[in-house]
Amino acid sequence: MESKSRRDISHFEGTWQIARQIEDRMGGQEARFSGQAKLRPLGEHWLWQESGEIRYGAGPALKAERSYLWRPMGRRIAVHFEDGAFFHDFDPETPAPEAEHFCTPDLYRAAYDFTRWPRWQVTWEVAGPRKDYRMTSECRRPETG
C-alpha cells in the first residue's frame, strides 16, 4: 500500500512566485500583480510576506506589499491579518479547500486548488455593496518554471 505524505504548513515554507489577476467588476477594470512571497517561521506564527508590482490596466507599475500571519491549527492552517485579526483557515491536505470571511458588509469566498502541487492557486470572489471582484493568485516555486 502506498503511503500518502501529509502536506502541512512546513510544505509552504520558503519562496513562491506569484502571478495574480484581479477583475474588478464594480470598477470595470483589471489589475495584475507579479512578485514573490516568502513564508518563514516567526514564533508561534509563520510570516507570509508578499512584495512585487501591481499594474491597473495600462497604467504604470506600482510597488505592492502585503503580509499575513499563518498559524498551524491541528491539520488546518489559520490565516490572520498582519494585526493578528482572524481572516480564514483552510486544510492543506484537501485538494480543493474552500473558506469564507465576512467583512461587514462584504463576503469573501476562497477556493484553493492544490491539485498541481507544488503549484497551487487561490481564487477569491468578493461581493457586497462596496466590492465586486475576482482575484486569482497562481503560486509556484521559482525553480518549477
Side-chain angles (χ1 to χ4, degrees):
M1 191 179 278
E2 185 178 323
S3 78
K4 179 182 171 190
S5 70
R6 297 177 62 99
R7 184 171 36 246
D8 62 26
I9 197 166
S10 68
H11 291 88
F12 293 89
E13 184 174 9
T15 302
W16 296 90
Q17 292 297 120
I18 301 176
R20 178 174 295 142
Q21 182 174 337
I22 304 164
E23 178 190 347
D24 181 354
R25 295 178 285 249
M26 189 171 283
Q29 66 177 346
E30 288 193 8
R32 294 191 183 275
F33 171 87
S34 179
Q36 281 192 340
K38 291 184 181 177
L39 182 69
R40 64 181 174 85
L42 182 67
E44 64 183 37
H45 291 92
W46 292 61
L47 180 63
W48 175 271
Q49 290 180 296
E50 296 181 3
S51 62
E53 293 184 338
I54 191 165
R55 185 180 303 267
Y56 295 91
L62 305 169
K63 185 176 178 178
E65 296 179 342
R66 184 73 195 239
S67 297
Y68 295 95
L69 299 172
W70 288 25
R71 184 178 203 172
M73 303 292 291
R75 67 182 266 170
R76 300 184 72 79
I77 296 172
V79 180
H80 296 257
F81 293 106
E82 196 171 15
D83 67 2
F86 179 75
F87 183 24
H88 71 284
D89 66 351
F90 66 93
D91 180 350
E93 291 185 46
T94 301
E98 295 181 352
E100 286 187 352
H101 174 76
F102 189 65
C103 184
T104 306
D106 303 311
L107 178 61
Y108 293 66
R109 291 180 188 224
Y112 285 86
D113 181 353
F114 298 123
T115 59
R116 298 181 304 144
W117 184 264
R119 288 176 176 252
W120 57 281
Q121 174 179 300
V122 60
T123 299
W124 283 95
E125 289 284 348
V126 182
R130 298 183 304 184
K131 298 177 182 174
D132 183 12
Y133 68 87
R134 172 185 287 160
M135 180 172 68
T136 302
S137 302
E138 295 271 349
C139 301
R140 65 173 175 78
R141 296 290 190 186
E143 63 274 8
T144 61

